[in-house]
Amino acid sequence: MTPGRGTAPVRRAFPSSTSLTSQKRKEATSSRARRPMFNPPQANTAGFCSLTAIRKSQVTVRLVKRCTSSYSILMQWVSVLCLPVVPCAAEAADGGLSAASPMAETEAARPSLVAAVLEAVQGSSGRLEKESLSGRISRLSDRVEELKGEVCRMINERYVEFLPSVQNAKDLESEAEELSSNIDQLTSMIETEVQQDLNVAIAEFTELKQQLERDTLILSVLKQLQELDSALKQSSAVLLEKKYVPAACHLKKARRCLKMMESRRGFELKILRAFHIELVTQTENLLSVLGQEWQQLAVWKLPQSKEPGSLESALQTELRLRSTLAGEDAETSPSATSVLRGFAVLGELHYRFKVFGQLLLNHILKPLICHPSLKPLLEECPDAVALRLESVGSSLGPPSPMEVFPKLQLVFDVLHKHLLGMEHQALCSCAGPLNHCTEDENDAGPVLAEVLGETIWKELSDCLMRDCLVHSIPSSSSKLGQYVEVINATEQFEQALKDMQFLKEGSTDLLTYARNVNRHFADKKCQDVIVTARHLMMAEIHSTVKVTPESSVALPNLPDPAAGDHPGTLVPSKALPIQAGDLETKAQLSPHTLSFPACCISESVQKLVALAYQTLEEASASTDQYSAQLFYLVRNIFYLFWDVVPMYHKEKLQKLPQLAAIHHNNCLYIAHHLLTLGHQFQWRLSGLLCDGTATFVDLVPVFRRLGTECFLAQMQVQRGELLERLSSARDFSTVDDEGSYAAANKALRQVLHQLKRLGKIWQGILPVNVYCRAMGTLLNTALAEIVNRILTLEVRAARGRGGRASAWHT
């Protein structure tokens, strides 16, 4: 292939192969040797020396043209091979190839020899004669040879090495097509022949799998039946040896196997019913045996009394705890711990402890708390220990926590030592048989002492708080410092129960209650004051005392308002001396001005007001929170009086005028003290109340209205009775008649008797001004009614005389 022929450019779709065989390499070498190569003619410098200058010029021109032609051919090869070579200046001027490459950059840096020769020939042929062109032409020929070598190398890389790669690709393509046809044939064969065999195999495999699962299930059921039967047999065997814990474990395992088989669907075996009956029978038999053993190990001697908490009943109670059964060897006899653990495995421990705990609470623990004279008495025997109660001293007064806690601790110590103390030994002795039972028997199970503690602790702690600790709370704030002893005793008691495992580590109910003494003290104080106030309000009203302006409530020693014990106290300035000419007041106020007038009030009301003063005095010496609580307690006392007294004594206040007058005085007496009660203590109370909020003035109109309404209602009743008696006087008409005269006389006597009786009742009870106004009002009512009736008679008589005179004249 020659470069002059028009050859289409070959695509670079396949890369050059480097894995040609030796035969292909030889064929490529021979074909390259047969290819025609362009050999430019060599310059003959000797011929130029013998010709003339013109001949030299013509020869030079022809050589240049030949070089130019060779250069054009090379450029065509370069264009075919896409070589980045820069054309000469003449071709660039004719619009030839122009490509940028590193080789082009090198040629641009170095001027073309052909262009230089052409410029020299065109410029002056005379100069060519003088200059030797052989050097330039030789350099041009060398450059052409270099370019030819590069072209040959590129052609070799593009065609000699590329064709084997293309051939290999075609071979691979044919092999791929053949392989694809084989795959298609294999696929069709699978779809036609193998698929049918596969479906048959799948069906057979499914059937075999179902049969295997069915056989496996049957085998597992048979294995469970065997385990169930073995567990029942082992339970019966160990029960004869009085090994209750292993027997219970085997029954538990049998129950689990039976439950698992009953939960399977599709299996309705008649033998399961027989196993169920046998399991229930053995379980009830074991429970019966354990119950009999438990009754012999923990024997109660209870009184016949229906009141278990009484002192007489407690003295007749006895609990006897046996370590072994009577008449049996101590080594072979079952212990109380093994019996209880048997109950625990069967799920009956909580029920048994609930019954035992209630007996323990009602007959031993609660009597020790409620009766301070009782103390536990322990009698030890070789095979048992007896616990009973005895009375020492008197049961007067509330129980002290420092005395109750040691008694209770002794009872729990006896239970832990003689009933639950051999728990570890029982577990160790049962460790061998347990390993042959179920997988979970090695677990120690619940702690017996902890189960018993959880059963009784809630009720026991409530009883201790309600009947013991609440009475130990001091009644005065000055004794709160002594309560530290009670807190320490409570902490020691709880820690002792935790050491014996009757309580969990996080249980601090009693200690929390004891440490919160400030709140309990305030609550107890408020409760005691409210109870006392309620008893005073429900007391009889007719028990009265005489109060005068000189008499006053036994008030506490209050500070002088000008002593400077509160902020903002105004110190009175010294009075200026009175000059001789100053005005003097002739009339002076009475020392009893603004004092409560002399009258009778209920003794209970006087004590109630004194209780309010005492409570406020204690509030002024307490902390901020407690002070505010006591202040509002006093307000609640007066609110309670407002609600309770009128309702509780309602019938008596309506029927008895004396009680109505006393109640009137009581309400006014309370209102009189409420005017200044808050002012007297407001600067001594805590910071929350010293800003003017500690006042009772808002209750003054309420109590005044309460007393006034009650007394006015009684006045209305008395007025109605007076008018009713006067109505029986027959309007004082026909007094000449003996019957009418007697009726009028009786009515007047009844009115006078009623007024005299009210005067005797109210005189000395009501204040003088109130008494005068009340009696004057009733007397005025009677006189006004009598005068009105008499005037009515006169008007009737005048009308009658006028009628007769007009009739006479006619």
Side-chain angles (χ1 to χ4, degrees), residues 715 719 722 755 770-783:
M715 290 285 293
R719 181 176 180 276
L722 291 176
L755 291 175
V770 178
Y771 171 78
C772 295
R773 291 178 60 185
M775 295 302 300
T777 300
L778 293 177
L779 180 60
N780 182 53
T781 299
L783 293 177

XYZ file of all heavy atoms in Angstrom, residues 715 719 722 755 770-783:
139
model
N -86.450 37.715 118.204
C -87.345 38.853 118.433
C -88.629 38.708 117.629
O -89.733 39.013 118.123
C -86.628 40.153 118.071
C -85.502 40.536 119.022
S -86.108 41.187 120.597
C -86.852 42.715 120.073
N -92.319 38.537 119.205
C -93.342 39.479 118.727
C -94.571 38.725 118.235
O -95.711 39.134 118.486
C -92.752 40.330 117.607
C -93.714 41.377 117.044
C -93.003 42.222 116.003
N -93.891 43.231 115.436
C -94.737 43.018 114.428
N -94.804 41.798 113.883
N -95.506 43.982 113.987
N -96.562 37.601 121.241
C -97.308 38.711 121.849
C -98.558 39.042 121.053
O -99.660 39.218 121.633
C -96.404 39.936 121.960
C -95.247 39.864 122.972
C -94.381 41.120 122.877
C -95.782 39.711 124.387
N -93.433 39.427 128.913
C -92.440 40.491 128.980
C -91.587 40.377 130.247
O -90.377 40.603 130.224
C -93.136 41.846 128.931
C -93.801 42.200 127.578
C -94.551 43.513 127.685
C -92.753 42.258 126.475
N -78.464 46.896 124.562
C -79.192 45.925 123.735
C -80.432 45.435 124.470
O -81.511 45.271 123.855
C -78.272 44.748 123.366
C -79.016 43.704 122.548
C -77.068 45.245 122.598
N -80.296 45.207 125.777
C -81.448 44.768 126.562
C -82.560 45.804 126.540
O -83.745 45.463 126.360
C -81.001 44.481 127.996
C -82.128 44.225 128.958
C -82.770 42.997 128.995
C -82.555 45.225 129.844
C -83.818 42.772 129.880
C -83.594 45.001 130.737
C -84.226 43.768 130.742
O -85.262 43.546 131.607
N -82.221 47.054 126.754
C -83.227 48.110 126.743
C -83.904 48.226 125.391
O -85.145 48.356 125.304
C -82.599 49.442 127.154
S -82.003 49.478 128.852
N -83.143 48.158 124.354
C -83.738 48.273 123.020
C -84.626 47.072 122.719
O -85.711 47.221 122.148
C -82.629 48.369 121.983
C -81.856 49.677 122.039
C -80.738 49.690 121.027
N -81.242 49.540 119.667
C -80.474 49.423 118.585
N -79.147 49.428 118.741
N -81.015 49.294 117.407
N -84.213 45.904 123.121
C -85.014 44.719 122.835
C -86.320 44.744 123.622
O -87.421 44.523 123.056
C -84.217 43.465 123.168
N -86.263 45.012 124.934
C -87.476 45.049 125.736
C -88.365 46.195 125.330
O -89.611 46.074 125.307
C -87.110 45.149 127.219
C -86.374 43.927 127.759
S -87.294 42.383 127.561
C -88.779 42.739 128.513
N -87.766 47.326 125.032
C -88.574 48.451 124.577
C -89.278 48.147 123.259
O -90.430 48.525 123.065
N -88.617 47.470 122.391
C -89.241 47.126 121.112
C -90.423 46.186 121.315
O -91.498 46.377 120.715
C -88.202 46.470 120.188
O -87.131 47.382 119.972
C -88.824 46.107 118.855
N -90.272 45.172 122.163
C -91.377 44.239 122.390
C -92.527 44.917 123.122
O -93.723 44.684 122.805
C -90.873 43.044 123.204
C -89.871 42.125 122.484
C -89.395 41.023 123.411
C -90.504 41.520 121.244
N -92.199 45.756 124.149
C -93.248 46.471 124.858
C -93.969 47.427 123.931
O -95.221 47.559 123.973
C -92.649 47.228 126.050
C -93.624 48.039 126.907
C -94.691 47.128 127.520
C -92.865 48.786 127.995
N -93.227 48.086 123.098
C -93.845 48.994 122.132
C -94.755 48.226 121.175
O -95.822 48.716 120.790
C -92.749 49.719 121.369
C -93.301 50.719 120.375
O -94.103 51.585 120.733
N -92.919 50.578 119.109
N -94.351 47.039 120.810
C -95.184 46.227 119.925
C -96.510 45.887 120.599
O -97.591 45.992 119.983
C -94.435 44.932 119.557
O -93.232 45.261 118.877
C -95.285 44.042 118.664
N -96.459 45.511 121.893
C -97.692 45.168 122.609
C -98.580 46.390 122.787
O -99.818 46.335 122.550
C -97.339 44.562 123.967
N -98.023 47.506 123.229
C -98.820 48.720 123.426
C -99.406 49.219 122.118
O -100.573 49.661 122.070
C -97.953 49.803 124.074
C -97.494 49.512 125.513
C -96.594 50.634 126.010
C -98.703 49.355 126.436
